[in-house]
Amino acid sequence: MSPRVSPLRAVAAAAALCGLLAGCAGTGASESGQGGDDTRFVSGDGNVTEYKPADRKSVQDVGGEGLDGKPFKLSDFKGKVVVVNFWASWCAPCRGEAPSLQQVYDQNKAKGVEFLGVNFKDSKANAQAFERKFKVTYPSLFDDGGQVTLAFREVPPSAIPSTLVLDRQGRVAARIIGATTYSKLNPLVAKVLAGT
């Protein structure tokens, strides 16, 4: 038996998924200058939105299968600051930001910060090759069908790549639409760690 979903919730979920899919492909796709599959995204401008604690939206419980084939739930990181990065191996900006994400993770994991990748609309083999190439050591969920991404509909990622910083209560404290850098992400993580 499958759980019942209210019609309003189903429409909202479908709209969120369509928005993200439009961000990944279609007539508004941005040219990366390299041609081929690298044009399946709308490139964000790296815009950062920070949310005051009173305005933060909680993330639904997120779970799924990791790229390693093991089940994973975001609730495993309860009580920690979590950086969630939406990425795909075919996305040139994702390749560009991968070393910065790993650097921020390496410098903050001992302080109680966890990272979770959400690999979107990709093949598992290509995603695993991406992680090997860029030496990514934090887990990623395999979200080929877009179901994991729907759990973030309250503060949708809107483009690939996108990055969310969750506070210790599992609420979205900051969102970056487009590729991020060490100098942009690390101060955001520090602020959320400090409770602001």
Side-chain angles (χ1 to χ4, degrees):
M1 291 195 314
S2 63
R4 290 198 166 266
V5 177
S6 73
L8 185 57
R9 181 172 248 163
V11 169
L17 183 58
C18 287
L20 188 56
L21 290 174
C24 298
T27 57
S30 169
E31 292 294 331
S32 69
Q34 297 181 11
D37 287 335
D38 290 339
T39 61
R40 292 185 287 174
F41 63 93
V42 169
S43 97
D45 58 5
N47 185 39
V48 176
T49 304
E50 294 182 70
Y51 301 93
K52 295 177 185 174
D55 299 330
R56 293 177 183 170
K57 306 283 186 188
S58 291
V59 174
Q60 301 294 324
D61 193 27
V62 175
E65 181 180 302
L67 283 174
D68 59 5
K70 297 177 183 172
F72 180 86
K73 290 190 291 186
L74 186 60
S75 59
D76 293 344
F77 291 155
K78 187 175 181 178
K80 297 187 176 188
V81 171
V82 181
V83 176
V84 182
N85 177 256
F86 297 83
W87 64 278
S89 65
W90 44 259
C91 163
C94 299
R95 291 191 292 272
E97 73 175 1
S100 294
L101 289 162
Q102 185 64 46
Q103 183 181 9
V104 175
Y105 173 64
D106 289 342
Q107 290 186 4
N108 289 283
K109 63 184 174 183
K111 300 173 188 173
V113 176
E114 295 289 351
F115 273 51
L116 176 65
V118 178
N119 176 251
F120 184 78
K121 291 292 184 185
D122 212 343
S123 79
K124 191 175 274 191
N126 287 347
Q128 291 168 333
F130 177 101
E131 287 197 329
R132 284 191 302 272
K133 178 177 181 177
F134 292 102
K135 299 178 175 66
V136 176
T137 61
Y138 52 85
S140 280
L141 291 174
F142 183 59
D143 192 27
D144 182 48
Q147 294 303 307
V148 173
T149 304
L150 286 178
F152 294 90
R153 63 184 161 269
E154 295 295 330
V155 185
S158 301
I160 299 292
S162 287
T163 303
L164 303 176
V165 182
L166 310 181
D167 65 17
R168 295 180 193 276
Q169 290 77 44
R171 303 172 302 174
V172 179
R175 174 177 66 176
I176 303 168
I177 301 297
T180 191
T181 61
Y182 174 85
S183 61
K184 187 179 292 182
L185 181 58
N186 204 50
L188 288 173
V189 170
K191 283 174 77 171
V192 178
L193 265 173
T196 59

